Amino acid sequence: AFLPLQKVGFKVRVGSFSRSPLLTFLRQFLIQSDFITQANREDVTDCEWNQHLLGEVVKTFLGTVDDSGGFLEHPEMKYAWVRYIPTEKIVHDLWGQLRLDLIKALNTRRLFYSSGDQSKLWTAKQLRVVNNEFRDKDLNPLLPDLEFGDTAYVSEKYDSQLDIPIM
């Protein structure tokens, strides 16, 4: 479940639950699944089943972004969805690995818009941010974006304060 976004950003304390709350972390989305827990039911164990479930969390996150009817097809969410990417380091081994796996998967997917052709998606590594020192007085880039090639300018529709630092 993805929590509502606000224009000024957000930090919501949520966690993972197995009938009763397990450990909580600063997260942008909720995870509900049948994790195998420790005997005291206060934490999940690092086992093959839980690793499998975390892989499914990554697949579900990616599907929510780019499957039919996903965030990329929503007029407001097509740019703001990046705020759901966990950016803060998680010290818990299992949940920390989930964050790393998600970021690794996002790095290989074409999920981001450039300032040019809105029908073409790019990986985050392919997009370039044009800093203000390389813009004219009207904030237009001094050099036009390339029409062909392996890189492009990131779309101006991403929020420069909230979205660009995450990308």
Side-chain angles (χ1 to χ4, degrees):
F2 289 86
L3 303 172
L5 292 175
Q6 298 172 358
K7 184 70 176 162
V8 296
F10 59 90
K11 288 193 185 247
V12 179
R13 198 170 246 329
V14 298
S16 57
F17 301 90
S18 174
R19 297 182 198 222
S20 60
L22 297 174
L23 294 174
T24 57
F25 301 98
L26 192 61
R27 292 251 168 102
Q28 290 80 356
F29 55 93
L30 297 171
I31 300 170
Q32 191 284 319
S33 191
D34 294 324
F35 290 102
I36 296 174
T37 61
Q38 295 176 349
N40 64 10
R41 300 190 60 75
E42 292 179 4
D43 197 1
V44 295
T45 61
D46 189 357
C47 65
E48 188 176 331
W49 174 251
N50 288 345
Q51 291 289 339
H52 169 76
L53 290 177
L54 292 181
E56 294 301 311
V57 169
V58 171
K59 289 179 190 175
T60 301
F61 186 100
L62 295 171
T64 302
V65 174
D66 69 354
D67 279 356
S68 177
F71 288 154
L72 292 180
E73 293 181 8
H74 190 278
E76 294 172 20
M77 293 304 297
K78 68 193 298 182
Y79 301 101
W81 71 266
V82 298
R83 297 175 209 166
Y84 287 119
I85 300 170
T87 56
E88 295 181 8
K89 184 176 179 173
I90 301 170
V91 293
H92 188 279
D93 289 342
L94 198 66
W95 301 118
Q97 190 60 48
L98 170 63
R99 177 183 166 271
L100 294 175
D101 290 348
L102 181 59
I103 290 170
K104 182 178 178 182
L106 289 168
N107 281 334
T108 62
R109 301 281 286 261
R110 294 178 181 268
L111 301 170
F112 305 95
Y113 290 98
S114 71
S115 60
D117 183 2
Q118 293 297 297
S119 66
K120 183 177 180 183
L121 294 169
W122 301 78
T123 65
K125 290 180 181 181
Q126 292 176 301
L127 293 174
R128 303 291 177 252
V129 175
V130 182
N131 295 323
N132 285 339
E133 65 246 30
F134 299 108
R135 294 177 179 272
D136 64 19
K137 64 180 173 54
D138 297 321
L139 296 179
N140 296 314
L142 294 175
L143 299 173
D145 199 356
L146 299 173
E147 296 199 22
F148 301 99
D150 295 335
T151 62
Y153 294 153
V154 68
S155 174
E156 301 285 333
K157 294 181 182 180
Y158 289 103
D159 187 290
S160 63
Q161 301 297 311
L162 299 174
D163 304 330
I164 298 299
I166 296 170
M167 295 170 62

